[in-house]
Amino acid sequence: MFALVESGTITQFPKGNKGITIGDNQYPKTIYTLWTEAERNAIGIYTVEIDSTNRKDEEFYINTDITYAFGSGKVTGSYGTATAKRLNDEDAVDENGDKVKDSDGNQVINYGLKTKYKNQFNAQAAGLLAKTDWYVIKAADVDSYSVPDNIKTYRAAVRTKVNAMETSIDNCSDVDELITLLTYTEQEDGSVTRPLGEFPKEVV
């Protein structure tokens, strides 16, 4: 990405795919590929340097637009302070602050990150349990059949784990705590784990 600086002010952002007119001079597009940075700077063209210091994971934060500035002989694009996404659910309201209802008269909810991730892990648990549902169905249909103990233990462990995950997520007081809970890191023994933990190993 390039910027044209005239009289100390950024006036446009050439894409670098076609020539450009600066004052009375016409320059070919090759200035972006064949000229050195110093040669481009001499006519007011600068390569934009993006400062991503304030940029955060968009899964959890809303980043600002990039602000461009010229100074110290270079053009820099910087992000402002990112805003954390909503952690908890809240009632939806309109521009007047009145609560928003759906067509059935129920309150519309703006769901937060906690609900998003609890729903995600509940769906994962449901998928794991579905693989062994046939044992339970067979036991209900066939009087002489009972669910094997290892299957019972596994299904109970899945439910226990997802409940623990929900509790851990609910206990997060801010977005950074949630990020830490979900983030995998390498341990001293070389294993890669996250504070949230994992579901038990599948049994089928």
Side-chain angles (χ1 to χ4, degrees), residues 69-76:
F70 175 69
S72 302
K74 62 181 180 180
V75 173
T76 304

Side-chain angles (χ1 to χ4, degrees), residues 54-75:
N54 291 329
R55 189 179 186 279
K56 294 193 174 185
D57 188 341
E58 293 182 352
E59 178 74 11
F60 304 97
Y61 283 86
I62 300 171
N63 290 300
T64 67
D65 292 333
I66 299 176
T67 300
Y68 299 94
F70 175 69
S72 302
K74 62 181 180 180
V75 173

